[in-house]
Amino acid sequence: MPINVLIVDDSAVVRQVVSEELGRETDIKVIGAAADPIFAQERMKLQWPDVIVLDIEMPRMDGITFLKKLMAERPTPVVICSSLTEKGAAITLEALSSGALGIITKPSIGVRDFLQDSSSDLISAIRAAYAATGRLKLLRSMSATPPLAPPAKPAAPMSFVTEKIQSPKLTADAILDAPNGVPVVGQTERIVAVGISTGGVQALEQILPLLSADCPALAIVQHMPEKFTATFAARLNTLCRIEVKEAQNNDKLLRGRALIAPGGKHLLVKRAAGHYYVEVIDGPLVSRHRPSVDVLFRSVAKCAGRNALGVIMTGMGDDGAKGLKEMRDSGAATVAQDEASCIVFGMPKEAIRLGAADNVASLGDIPGLIERGAQRQLSR
């Protein structure tokens, strides 16, 4: 069965171009296009979509209001496609925090050419969002609110490659050499490396506020476009007892501090004189991502070894799985988020398959594991 997609955007050009681009895919079917959420709700009474492509700024009802209503009444995978995503990162992050699963930016001018050139990104985002259907159905079943419309026939499970197939898939070798297998010794602070993707905004907003002001230092890669990570870090900083900031080159990893990789840059952890700091660098996509979890995890395996804890969480694809295995082989404690609490059980699933995880833990248990840091008594 194809993925049934509804497009909600007040621009006729966007509705037309997105419909045309999606119509070229054999596994995607556009079942309708609406100029605003009011029209969309009428269309959804006829057939419920598997994924909604949603603008934010629209007449009669804005996208955020519609998204919150949708997630409260009948959670459905949503990909944000809006020009506000470039100049209004805070609004877009509110959308992600409210349940949207992906972001596609579009410029204020040259929209047609942009959407045609970036259609592969939108298609990948739609497929990744669809992969979260099962988790969102679980959330819906837990809700006491009546649905907006009668339940649609469940879609058959499907599997997709969500990465851009036109570019080679590079490994962390493109950035730094593999660990040499020599254990890291010496008394240093414990550090925690976290890799996360689809569903990460909601997950990090749940776990980071639970950490104490004296928790181990965290280095975090959240797959997110440029210009959003600074706003995301600032948002988290207002919610947490720890300091949360977008990482800058040579920032120190300190207890009670979380550093988030800037969008479009790789984040590496280094060690000097018994202390840890970060490098923020350019470079090619690794595992088709920049920042890449594999790059972060490998750097931690090389410089921290048994002094580290690696945590891989909700996300599509396999970025971070190999890096987590390298951390485990270097003596680090490692944790993968369990399927039940993941929005998308892709990255953790691959890490578990590779034997990279000491523990498989629910989202609610992860803050406690982070507080314990890199203690090797974490059971295998």
Side-chain angles (χ1 to χ4, degrees):
M1 291 178 63
I3 305 171
N4 292 322
V5 176
L6 175 66
I7 302 163
V8 186
D9 197 300
D10 63 333
S11 167
V13 171
V14 171
R15 297 196 301 272
Q16 177 189 356
V17 175
V18 172
S19 295
E20 290 173 354
E21 295 300 320
L22 297 184
R24 305 181 200 279
E25 303 300 310
T26 58
D27 61 321
I28 294 176
K29 178 182 178 182
V30 177
I31 60 170
D36 64 38
I38 305 299
F39 287 125
Q41 289 179 99
E42 293 302 312
R43 179 63 183 80
M44 291 160 69
K45 291 177 181 178
L46 302 176
Q47 182 179 5
W48 201 270
D50 297 317
V51 178
I52 298 172
V53 176
L54 180 65
D55 191 13
I56 290 179
E57 192 174 51
M58 289 177 289
R60 298 205 291 173
M61 180 188 293
D62 65 89
I64 297 292
T65 300
F66 175 61
L67 176 65
K68 291 179 177 179
K69 178 179 174 65
L70 181 71
M71 292 302 167
E73 298 183 3
R74 185 173 175 180
T76 301
V78 172
V79 174
I80 297 296
C81 182
S82 175
S83 59
L84 280 176
T85 54
E86 288 190 338
K87 62 182 180 180
I91 297 175
T92 302
L93 287 171
E94 184 181 357
L96 289 171
S97 181
S98 299
L101 296 175
I103 310 170
I104 298 295
T105 63
K106 62 184 181 185
S108 299
I109 59 175
V111 173
R112 180 182 294 274
D113 290 341
F114 172 83
L115 289 172
Q116 290 172 339
D117 292 341
S118 63
S119 62
S120 62
D121 292 334
L122 177 58
I123 291 164
S124 293
I126 288 170
R127 290 170 177 161
Y130 180 77
T133 299
R135 175 61 180 157
L136 289 171
K137 283 180 179 178
L138 175 62
L139 293 176
R140 184 180 71 198
S141 69
M142 296 168 61
S143 172
T145 308
L148 291 171
K153 182 180 179 181
M158 303 176 73
S159 175
F160 299 104
V161 176
T162 64
E163 298 143 335
K164 298 178 183 180
I165 60 173
Q166 66 267 32
S167 60
K169 186 177 181 180
L170 301 179
T171 69
D173 292 343
I175 303 296
L176 72 170
D177 294 333
N180 58 18
V182 178
V184 177
V185 296
Q187 296 298 317
T188 58
E189 282 285 335
R190 310 290 190 178
I191 61 172
V192 179
V194 178
I196 193 165
S197 187
T198 310
V201 170
Q202 302 98 306
L204 290 176
E205 287 186 357
Q206 289 184 56
I207 67 171
L208 294 188
L210 298 178
L211 299 179
S212 70
D214 192 45
C215 75
L218 294 99
I220 300 171
V221 164
Q222 157 76 68
H223 292 156
M224 187 174 283
E226 265 183 278
K227 304 177 183 178
F228 295 98
T229 43
T231 303
F232 181 45
R235 176 189 177 97
L236 287 171
N237 194 54
T238 65
L239 301 175
C240 300
R241 287 171 285 181
I242 64 173
E243 176 192 10
V244 185
K245 69 185 294 286
E246 183 184 57
Q248 294 179 301
N249 204 40
N250 295 320
D251 273 347
K252 291 182 178 180
L253 281 165
L254 304 171
R255 295 188 70 84
R257 168 186 272 187
L259 299 177
I260 296 182
K265 302 283 187 180
H266 288 301
L267 183 71
L268 290 78
V269 174
K270 301 286 186 175
R271 179 172 174 260
H275 299 284
Y276 297 105
Y277 66 97
V278 298
E279 283 188 354
V280 177
I281 65 171
D282 291 315
L285 302 181
V286 171
S287 299
R288 302 201 174 102
H289 291 284
R290 186 178 56 239
S292 164
V293 182
D294 273 328
V295 170
L296 171 64
F297 283 175
R298 174 174 286 191
S299 73
V300 173
K302 287 171 68 74
C303 75
R306 66 179 62 253
N307 293 318
L309 167 68
V311 183
I312 193 165
M313 299 177 64
T314 178
M316 192 75 178
D318 61 2
D319 185 30
K322 292 179 181 177
L324 194 72
K325 182 64 162 59
E326 291 174 342
M327 286 188 65
R328 189 175 192 269
D329 291 344
S330 74
T334 55
V335 176
Q337 186 179 352
D338 67 5
E339 183 174 7
S341 63
C342 280
I343 293 294
V344 178
F345 189 55
M347 289 160 50
K349 180 180 180 180
E350 182 63 16
I352 294 167
R353 187 189 71 80
L354 290 179
D358 290 327
N359 274 14
V360 178
S362 70
L363 183 65
D365 289 336
I366 288 175
L369 294 172
I370 290 174
E371 291 283 0
R372 289 164 56 191
Q375 297 174 20
R376 281 302 291 165
Q377 65 263 34
L378 288 175
S379 61
R380 284 191 178 277

